[in-house]
Amino acid sequence: ASAAVLAGMTHGVADAWGAFLFPDNPVSAPVSLLVWTGLAAAVVAGHLGLASALPPRRRWRAGLATGGAILLLAGASALVEDEGFSDVPEFSGVLKPAPAGWVPTAPVSALEEMAAELKEEVDALAAEE
């Protein structure tokens, strides 16, 4: 079960990056369906391996049947879902944060020096008037 959760999380991260880098990718949705159906089948087959004396072929058949049933239920709920018309565009893209190492930073002392320089400039401009 832990391996299935880890694989699902890994796929989720990879899928999110794929959607970010290639927003119009037609392969992403079918691959996700296959991955999640396979993970559901693996979890059911693994459970049956521990909880029953079924041979491996029948365990995987039951797992794939369960994954297929979940897939059909998800598809049916997507078809029944009521989506009203909206003139507001929806974007599937997600912005990813930049790594902290890529963001230029400066110590607090640099900010204090810059503030002191700006204060001197403002004071000089005020003295001219």
Side-chain angles (χ1 to χ4, degrees):
S2 296
V5 169
L6 185 61
M9 290 173 61
T10 303
H11 171 71
V13 169
D15 189 46
W17 274 105
F20 173 68
L21 295 173
F22 309 104
D24 293 333
N25 184 2
V27 178
S28 179
V31 168
S32 288
L33 289 175
L34 287 174
V35 167
W36 291 114
T37 303
L39 284 174
V43 168
V44 170
H47 167 71
L48 290 175
L50 295 173
S52 71
L54 290 174
R57 187 178 184 128
R58 289 193 62 197
R59 289 191 301 237
W60 279 101
R61 193 178 312 150
L64 288 172
T66 304
I70 292 171
L71 185 63
L72 288 174
L73 286 173
S77 70
L79 289 175
V80 177
E81 185 176 293
D82 182 27
E83 292 187 21
F85 175 76
S86 173
D87 60 349
V88 178
E90 293 184 19
F91 300 101
S92 63
V94 178
L95 292 178
K96 296 288 184 186
W102 292 2
V103 179
T105 59
V108 176
S109 60
L111 177 65
E112 292 171 350
E113 291 172 10
M114 185 179 66
E117 290 173 9
L118 286 174
K119 183 180 182 309
E120 289 176 11
E121 289 179 26
V122 170
D123 289 343
L125 288 174
E128 290 177 5
E129 293 181 1

